[in-house]
Amino acid sequence: MFLRSCAVAVAVVGLALVGCAAADTRDPPASPAPAAAALPAGVRVEIIQLRADVALRQAQVHVVNGGDTDLQIGEVAVDDSRFTAPATRVLAGRTSTVPAGGEVDIRVQLPDVACSPPAAGSAEPTVELTFLADGAEGTARVVAADPLGFLAPLHERECRASALAEAATLAFTGFTPAPPGQPATLHLTITPTGRGEATVVAVQATNLLDFGPATVDGAFPLDVPVTPGDTEPVVVDVPILPSRCDPHAVQEDKRGTIFDVRLSLGGEPGEIELFVGEALRGDILTWVSGWCGFAGAG
């Protein structure tokens, strides 16, 4: 009926041709998004953080396919009210195949934590993913378990680091190697902002490095106060020694250069994690391999 009316209009008024052409060339409606669907029976989703993920602030969406149908996973987004945005695939656009009876880890990048105002809603990770199974595709949204319990401590540490940033910034800014048998020196710079108050209490030993005779209760004492009005950086020389010399400890190192730093903020004790950075990590691991007398740790 719509086309017949247009033909009549063209015979009477030539300009109506423009209107008909416009009507016939409109963009087709957008394809609807995949409907919400349930994952196939036997599929379980978790979120975990492995040692290699810590320095990069990444995590893994661990998908276990306990069913009898192969599963393909496309887009992945992890929503959690403790973060400012969803965590998404590190390698965007990838598809992961989870064979029946198999499992796969999909690496995601964690966004900044949400600290102030306090995050609203329940603090639990919800994973939304697109999938294909038995020729049918869908989008599922499931609550994911956190079997290693890493999310709450990570949120607490990073919010504490954010609060510390009001008073000072901390960074490892240099490394001075030493001959075998002697401690090397790791330089920690505390830069006050002039606005806040805190105490940097101590640096804790790692699974690879300690402080030799200077170790007290598993840490190197600092007790550096930061008060309002302070702006001059303070550089602390931290002596470090390898706490072990088995080659695989260096070659497979994941957390040996990530230090826990003890703090006091507003009279409340706590800790943050402080990574030396990739450049200093390489220097330290090379030094450890030489100090211990085996080949460099790649």
Side-chain angles (χ1 to χ4, degrees):
M1 178 65 71
F2 181 75
L3 292 178
R4 182 179 301 170
S5 298
C6 278
V8 173
V10 170
V12 177
V13 184
L15 291 177
L17 182 60
V18 175
C20 291
D24 290 341
T25 57
R26 288 178 299 178
D27 291 336
S31 299
L39 287 170
V43 176
R44 187 174 79 253
V45 180
E46 301 172 340
I47 183 165
I48 60 176
Q49 188 178 57
L50 306 179
R51 289 185 301 168
D53 300 323
V54 175
L56 300 173
R57 288 195 77 259
Q58 294 175 356
Q60 311 272 348
V61 174
H62 182 63
V63 182
V64 179
N65 186 359
D68 55 8
T69 301
D70 290 353
L71 183 68
Q72 288 188 326
I73 305 292
E75 295 181 8
V76 173
V78 183
D79 282 321
D80 190 305
S81 60
R82 291 168 289 197
F83 295 90
T84 59
T88 56
R89 276 185 181 268
V90 172
L91 299 175
R94 293 286 295 271
T95 298
S96 303
T97 299
V98 195
E103 53 192 78
V104 71
D105 289 331
I106 301 171
R107 183 166 293 175
V108 294
Q109 186 67 52
L110 297 175
D112 293 337
V113 291
C115 301
S116 180
S122 60
E124 60 181 7
T126 301
V127 179
E128 182 174 285
L129 48 82
T130 60
F131 68 93
L132 177 67
D134 273 342
E137 63 179 313
T139 298
R141 189 173 177 86
V142 296
V143 175
D146 175 13
L148 302 180
F150 82 94
L151 283 167
L154 181 148
H155 181 262
E156 181 181 358
R157 285 194 308 269
E158 294 198 356
C159 285
R160 186 176 295 113
S162 178
L164 173 65
E166 290 296 311
T169 58
L170 271 61
F172 290 111
T173 53
F175 170 71
T176 303
Q182 299 182 28
T185 303
L186 187 58
H187 308 292
L188 173 65
T189 299
I190 304 167
T191 306
T193 64
R195 301 189 303 271
E197 185 172 357
T199 301
V200 184
V201 177
V203 178
Q204 293 184 192
T206 73
N207 62 304
L208 180 65
L209 302 167
D210 62 25
F211 315 105
T215 304
V216 178
D217 189 25
F220 179 69
L222 298 175
D223 294 319
V224 177
V226 176
T227 58
D230 292 346
T231 57
E232 191 68 24
V234 177
V235 180
V236 180
D237 292 339
V238 180
I240 58 172
L241 287 164
S243 58
R244 54 192 302 182
C245 271
D246 41 328
H248 80 272
V250 177
Q251 294 165 351
E252 301 174 9
D253 173 72
K254 301 295 188 298
R255 291 189 54 90
T257 55
I258 301 174
F259 291 85
D260 287 338
V261 180
R262 298 177 187 171
L263 307 168
S264 176
L265 289 170
E268 293 291 329
E271 298 175 2
I272 65 170
E273 287 185 342
L274 194 61
F275 178 42
V276 299
E278 289 296 339
L280 290 185
R281 176 180 182 271
D283 292 343
I284 292 170
L285 295 184
T286 298
W287 167 73
V288 170
S289 68
W291 197 96
C292 289
F294 52 82

